[in-house]
């Protein structure tokens, strides 16, 4: 197995995790917090919008089954990357759009795909080196599986139509 990790923030982490778990080649997911200054934040801390953290999903994947590019393209498809510090009804810096990369290849691919989208859209997604990841409380993990609810602001869109990707 050729495992790697990347982190994505795109609004409420429940929906992001739910959709990434469905991808073939994704081995594991975990929701948590990244990008801020407070050590060991709680959900209540992050909800204040003063920690600098974003609700983030850790994605562990098998690179022999799904590529970095496929994952990052999918990330752009499952949320509205044109929204600044929000996703649907969720507003605040904790809901911003971020790709937290763990290696230079992920960074290069993310930058390339963002440039392509910027030909037609204002892209509010930032691309940042992964920092300390703080797992969220247990009740947030696999939330939609536990509650049998559905994401309220995440769904797959075809944003790549009419773009030349290679």
């Amino acid at each position: 197995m050729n495992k790697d990790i990347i982190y994505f923030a795109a609004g409420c982490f429940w929906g992001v995790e739910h959709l990434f778990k469905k991808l073939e080649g994704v081995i594991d997911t975990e929701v948590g917090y990244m990008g801020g200054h407070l050590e060991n934040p709680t959900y209540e801390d992050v909800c204040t919008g003063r920690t600098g953290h974003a609700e983030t999903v850790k994605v562990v994947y098998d690179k022999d089954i799904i590529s970095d590019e496929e994952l990052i393209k999918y990330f752009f498809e499952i949320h509205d990357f044109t929204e600044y510090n929000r996703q649907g009804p969720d507003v605040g810096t904790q809901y911003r759009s971020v790709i937290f990369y763990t290696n230079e290849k992920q960074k290069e691919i993310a930058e390339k795909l963002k440039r392509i989208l910027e030909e037609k859209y204002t892209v509010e997604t930032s691309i940042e080196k992964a920092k300390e990841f703080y797992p969220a409380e247990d009740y947030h993990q696999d939330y939609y599986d536990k509650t049998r609810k559905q994401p309220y602001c995440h769904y797959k869109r075809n944003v790549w139509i009419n773009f030349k990707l290679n």
Side-chain angles (χ1 to χ4, degrees):
M1 190 178 302
N2 190 5
K3 285 200 311 190
D4 207 347
I5 298 172
I6 191 167
Y7 300 85
F8 296 110
C12 176
F13 48 29
W14 297 339
V16 178
E17 178 189 44
H18 181 74
L19 291 172
F20 270 103
K21 284 175 62 165
K22 295 175 181 266
L23 288 181
E24 184 177 355
V26 170
I27 301 163
D28 194 24
T29 58
E30 183 176 23
V31 298
Y33 317 108
M34 185 180 279
H37 55 82
L38 183 66
E39 290 185 23
N40 301 309
T42 65
Y43 181 69
E44 289 74 22
D45 293 332
V46 174
C47 282
T48 68
R50 296 191 302 260
T51 67
H53 288 291
E55 290 193 12
T56 302
V57 177
K58 175 183 180 180
V59 177
V60 181
Y61 60 103
D62 184 339
K63 291 169 64 160
D64 292 333
I65 298 173
I66 189 165
S67 69
D68 299 324
E69 185 164 328
E70 289 171 299
L71 277 172
I72 296 167
K73 282 170 56 179
Y74 187 73
F75 163 77
F76 281 116
E77 292 175 338
I78 64 168
H79 78 293
D80 186 347
F81 52 82
T82 68
E83 292 195 309
Y84 179 73
N85 286 343
R86 71 175 299 149
Q87 203 58 212
D90 298 329
V91 179
T93 57
Q94 68 270 30
Y95 300 115
R96 68 189 183 274
S97 175
V98 186
I99 299 168
F100 291 108
Y101 63 89
T102 61
N103 61 58
E104 288 302 307
K105 183 178 179 200
Q106 291 172 352
K107 178 184 178 187
E108 289 170 17
I109 291 167
E111 288 173 344
K112 175 188 97 169
L113 293 173
K114 181 177 176 179
R115 278 192 306 274
I116 290 168
L117 289 172
E118 286 174 332
E119 293 172 14
K120 295 188 180 182
Y121 303 102
T122 299
V123 180
E124 297 295 348
T125 303
S126 64
I127 300 167
E128 303 174 22
K129 186 171 180 54
K131 300 173 179 132
E132 182 77 23
F133 177 75
Y134 299 98
E137 297 79 357
D138 285 344
Y139 71 94
H140 290 295
Q141 307 299 332
D142 304 308
Y143 180 81
Y144 285 122
D145 290 343
K146 291 175 185 172
T147 63
R148 298 179 190 233
K149 295 180 182 177
Q150 291 296 311
Y152 56 89
C153 62
H154 294 96
Y155 58 91
K156 192 169 181 311
R157 307 158 174 86
N158 189 354
V159 299
W160 300 107
I161 201 162
N162 299 324
F163 282 102
K164 183 175 174 148
L165 296 177
N166 294 323

